[in-house]
Amino acid sequence: MNLKAVPLLACLLFSASAAAAAAAAAPYFIDVSSEAGLAGASAQNVNWADLNGDGYADCVISGNKNGPAAEVFLNVEKDGRRSFVNFTEESGINRHPLVSTAARVGSFQVFGDVDNDGDLDIFSGMYCEFEKPKTAPGSETPLRDEAGNIIYDKPDHGLRSEILLNDGSGRFTALKDSGVNAAPETTTSAAFFDYDNDGNLDLFTGNWYKEYGISYVSYPSRLSRGLGGGRFEEVTSTAGLMTQPTEGRPDSSRPVYGVSHCDWNNDGFQDILAAVYGRQANRLWKNNGDGTFTDVGAATGFDGDEIRHGRYPAGTKREPEQEWRSHGNTFSAACADYDNDGDMDVYLGEITHSWAGEASDRSSLLENLGPKKNFAFRRDADVLHRVHMDTNSWNQGDMRVTWFDFDNDGLQDLLVSSGDYPDGQYLRLFRQIKPLQFEDVTDKAGFNWESSAGISLADYDGDGDLDILAGKSWMRMPAAKRSGEFPAGALFRNDAGNKNNWLAVTLEGKGAGGANRSAIGARVTVKTGNTRQVREVNGGTGHAGQANSLTLNFGLGAAKKIDSLEVRWGDKAGSVSVFREVPVNTFARVRQAPEEIIFSTGPAARPR
């Protein structure tokens, strides 16, 4: 042996060992918001959406320092990296539909191709609380003017929810007489989906209390059927979804804070998941396939847990609640086949508190028990082993939740966004080890993101793993926990996921007569060996327009080939496309008409 080479060999071995240790200690995610051009952008609600059709996710944020007006940032390539440029003024997203010199301040946005022309349009939701009377402090009696007329707390500013049509470049114009802008109600959430499989997107909007703090009366949530061209007609009553302005009855309207959809019972039709606030029961609206819906929340266990006595803990000076007020404060209902058994499970994000007692529902995993149990849910509130539950005084502010396979190992993980309480509410990541077993990897993820708000997922840089756009809230946060002039958002780039193989799938439906062009509601099944993964394209997952990119990402672990990729399009014909021997580590664009699959090494622009 050459003795002179021994020190060099030892040095090389040490260097390799040190490099491996450093790689193992590196966080899974890095906040790159500053270098990506998002520094200084205030954000509470956040969304990824490809607005100009170049294949890369752009970002839309709202909840800004001057109010909830939205900002638009286009995803561009700069110096070999993806970064963002402010496109808000050009986008017209805040433009008043009638007054050219005025602004319209929307409350939240959801995205879908409502006119089937190949680009993403916007439902811009407007929260309107104009029927709440003004009351004296400590009183529920409405104040009246000298003529005896009720004085209302807020004047009607005349603005309503709107459909904003995209010209294909990310520039938007409000559509006159779209059919979604009639009633001024407390709209908190919405989702695009195609409930009747006619190839036109429909819209379900979640509405909240009518007179918050005065009564439990709520506005009904509403279903609008897409007519094509971006226009809608309300069909709430004929669809069996109309509820009543009463309290505590099975048919009473309830304060909906989040709207989601998925094919919960595998029958080819999208069902509606209404996340309800105010300790009232959630609703699972089963799509009957004939244009009507039936609430099966109670029959499936989706409505709430089994503890319904309504009692508060000893020492809490409150009278017990009635059964109808012994459920949860649900904000989000995230659907996913997390256990790869072929049906949709749900994770519910809840706000609750130690002082509320055991009758107030906690955030829970709802495991779908499949056809043998009529697709009922088994509820588990302890699956994540939340440590703050071990203290005598705690809050749980889980307002947004979503599933994604952050490390591309083939198992979906859970991202929980908690905020609005100053006792350790953070963005948390739970890695799935196997069904019903999760590991809290928040520290390894490197977040340290307190009082987290909106979250949205997309592979913004096209490297095969999912990145996180995260908002922030200062609600109830003391001055010592506030930094800067306003709560700025974060872009967490995923540096862990592309160590495994993966596949990204973007779908394009035929449009009217087939699947809607956005393919919202379509189901994709990817088979690798004995593993079968199912994803659905989703047009809304929860509170204030929470949603992810419409591209579906599959982690494949060590699999070197994909045996089959199946698309169930969700049209009236029940169309299914199957592709064999699909390569890994690729972007696949699947078109319904003509039926084809196109592979590329990076996100592909939509066909012009």
Side-chain angles (χ1 to χ4, degrees):
M1 175 182 292
N2 183 349
L3 296 179
K4 292 182 179 180
V6 173
L8 177 59
L9 177 62
C11 181
L12 290 173
L13 290 174
F14 176 79
S15 297
S17 176
Y28 299 150
F29 292 85
I30 302 293
D31 182 1
V32 297
S33 52
S34 181
E35 67 184 70
L38 295 175
S42 173
Q44 184 170 21
N45 299 325
V46 297
N47 290 97
W48 290 113
D50 181 6
L51 301 180
N52 58 3
D54 66 353
Y56 286 91
D58 309 301
C59 63
V60 180
I61 64 176
S62 58
N64 300 295
K65 52 184 178 293
N66 296 319
E71 285 189 274
V72 174
F73 292 85
L74 291 186
N75 188 338
V76 300
E77 184 175 353
K78 182 179 180 181
D79 299 328
R81 294 185 177 184
R82 306 306 300 187
S83 61
F84 296 86
V85 295
N86 196 312
F87 194 70
T88 305
E89 184 64 27
E90 297 91 331
S91 76
I93 195 170
N94 299 313
R95 191 170 298 134
H96 196 291
L98 301 176
V99 184
S100 63
T101 57
R104 176 188 171 277
V105 182
S107 302
F108 66 90
Q109 299 82 32
V110 291
F111 302 84
D113 187 354
V114 299
D115 53 3
N116 282 330
D117 66 350
D119 52 42
L120 291 181
D121 310 298
I122 298 175
F123 169 74
S124 178
M126 180 69 70
Y127 180 95
C128 301
E129 194 179 26
F130 304 140
E131 294 190 87
K132 177 182 176 181
K134 182 176 286 187
T135 61
S139 171
E140 296 181 0
T141 302
L143 296 176
R144 298 178 180 271
D145 60 20
E146 294 180 355
N149 300 313
I150 291 177
I151 302 173
Y152 290 95
D153 193 49
K154 296 177 182 177
D156 186 347
H157 51 46
L159 297 174
R160 302 291 184 263
S161 297
E162 299 284 355
I163 292 294
L164 308 182
L165 293 183
N166 190 346
D167 71 352
S169 68
R171 293 172 171 85
F172 295 90
T173 304
L175 177 64
K176 185 179 179 180
D177 299 325
S178 64
V180 305
N181 47 12
E185 297 177 333
T186 51
T187 303
T188 63
S189 51
F192 281 125
F193 72 128
D194 186 0
Y195 81 92
D196 52 1
N197 291 354
D198 69 347
N200 291 315
L201 283 178
D202 311 303
L203 178 72
F204 188 77
T205 52
N207 290 324
W208 206 51
Y209 289 118
K210 184 177 180 180
E211 307 167 326
Y212 179 57
I214 296 177
S215 76
Y216 293 123
V217 173
S218 300
Y219 288 106
S221 295
R222 299 185 184 274
L223 177 65
S224 297
R225 179 174 175 267
L227 302 176
R231 288 183 164 78
F232 295 80
E233 65 173 353
E234 190 191 334
V235 294
T236 309
S237 293
T238 56
L241 294 164
M242 183 57 72
T243 52
Q244 303 304 315
T246 58
E247 300 177 6
R249 294 180 359 193
D251 63 348
S252 294
S253 298
R254 299 172 191 168
V256 172
Y257 241 163
V259 172
S260 306
H261 68 93
C262 62
D263 182 3
W264 141 80
N265 60 353
N266 291 350
D267 65 353
F269 294 95
Q270 292 290 302
D271 309 294
I272 301 171
L273 291 73
V276 177
Y277 184 77
R279 308 256 321 253
Q280 297 191 46
N282 296 323
R283 281 191 160 110
L284 173 53
W285 291 106
K286 174 189 174 183
N287 190 333
N288 298 319
D290 59 1
T292 68
F293 292 80
T294 302
D295 183 7
V296 295
T300 59
F302 183 76
D303 59 340
D305 67 20
E306 296 178 352
I307 304 173
R308 304 186 179 189
H309 53 61
R311 295 191 297 272
Y312 289 93
T316 302
K317 297 180 181 180
R318 295 191 180 206
E319 293 297 319
E321 302 286 354
Q322 297 182 54
E323 191 277 340
W324 65 273
R325 280 263 300 155
S326 301
H327 303 279
N329 296 304
T330 315
F331 280 67
S332 296
C335 295
D337 179 18
Y338 97 98
D339 50 6
N340 291 339
D341 67 350
D343 50 42
M344 288 293 160
D345 312 290
V346 182
Y347 194 86
L348 297 178
E350 310 268 2
I351 278 185
T352 189
H353 321 277
S354 56
W355 57 260
E358 64 178 359
S360 181
D361 295 358
R362 290 184 284 144
S363 298
S364 299
L365 171 64
L366 274 59
E367 180 188 359
N368 193 328
L369 299 178
K372 292 183 178 180
K373 298 291 185 180
N374 294 319
F375 299 96
F377 293 106
R378 178 189 293 123
R379 181 179 290 253
D380 190 335
D382 296 311
V383 67
L384 300 184
H385 303 292
R386 305 288 289 279
V387 294
H388 68 265
M389 300 301 177
D390 296 335
T391 64
N392 293 324
S393 178
W394 49 264
N395 299 288
Q396 187 182 62
D398 302 346
M399 288 181 287
R400 281 92 167 181
V401 295
T402 193
W403 296 93
F404 75 130
D405 185 357
F406 86 91
D407 53 1
N408 285 338
D409 67 349
L411 296 173
Q412 294 197 71
D413 312 299
L414 190 63
L415 187 67
V416 178
S417 179
S418 306
D420 282 15
Y421 297 93
D423 59 346
Q425 308 293 315
Y426 286 88
L427 181 67
R428 299 184 185 277
L429 178 60
F430 297 87
R431 178 176 178 266
Q432 185 183 168
I433 308 301
K434 61 181 181 180
L436 299 179
Q437 184 176 337
F438 291 82
E439 173 192 8
D440 187 341
V441 294
T442 304
D443 289 341
K444 295 178 181 178
F447 293 147
N448 195 29
W449 191 248
E450 188 170 13
S451 199
S452 185
I455 49 175
S456 188
L457 305 173
D459 180 7
Y460 88 94
D461 51 0
D463 67 351
D465 52 36
L466 286 168
D467 311 292
I468 303 167
L469 193 61
K472 183 177 280 288
S473 171
W474 277 353
M475 176 73 71
R476 303 185 185 88
M477 297 298 287
K481 291 192 174 185
R482 300 184 180 192
S483 177
E485 298 180 3
F486 47 82
L491 169 55
F492 291 107
R493 187 187 67 209
N494 188 337
D495 285 351
N498 55 12
K499 295 179 177 63
N500 285 311
N501 293 327
W502 52 271
L503 174 71
V505 180
T506 302
L507 303 180
E508 181 186 332
K510 176 183 177 181
N516 63 86
R517 285 289 290 273
S518 298
I520 291 174
R523 177 177 285 200
V524 177
T525 302
V526 169
K527 294 181 181 179
T528 54
N530 294 323
T531 301
R532 178 182 63 174
Q533 298 186 59
V534 174
R535 304 276 195 279
E536 287 186 355
V537 183
N538 198 281
T541 62
H543 180 57
Q546 182 192 336
N548 300 320
S549 164
L550 298 183
T551 294
L552 301 177
N553 289 73
F554 294 82
L556 305 175
K560 292 182 171 56
K561 69 172 184 176
I562 297 166
D563 298 322
S564 67
L565 184 156
E566 177 185 292
V567 181
R568 191 189 72 184
W569 288 100
D571 58 10
K572 285 187 181 297
S575 302
V576 175
S577 300
V578 180
F579 304 91
R580 308 284 183 188
E581 302 295 326
V582 176
V584 301
N585 300 334
T586 190
F587 293 85
R589 176 176 287 275
V590 183
R591 303 181 68 187
Q592 185 181 23
E595 184 181 78
E596 62 180 351
I597 185 167
I598 304 168
F599 301 110
S600 60
T601 57
R606 67 168 179 262
R608 297 290 182 175

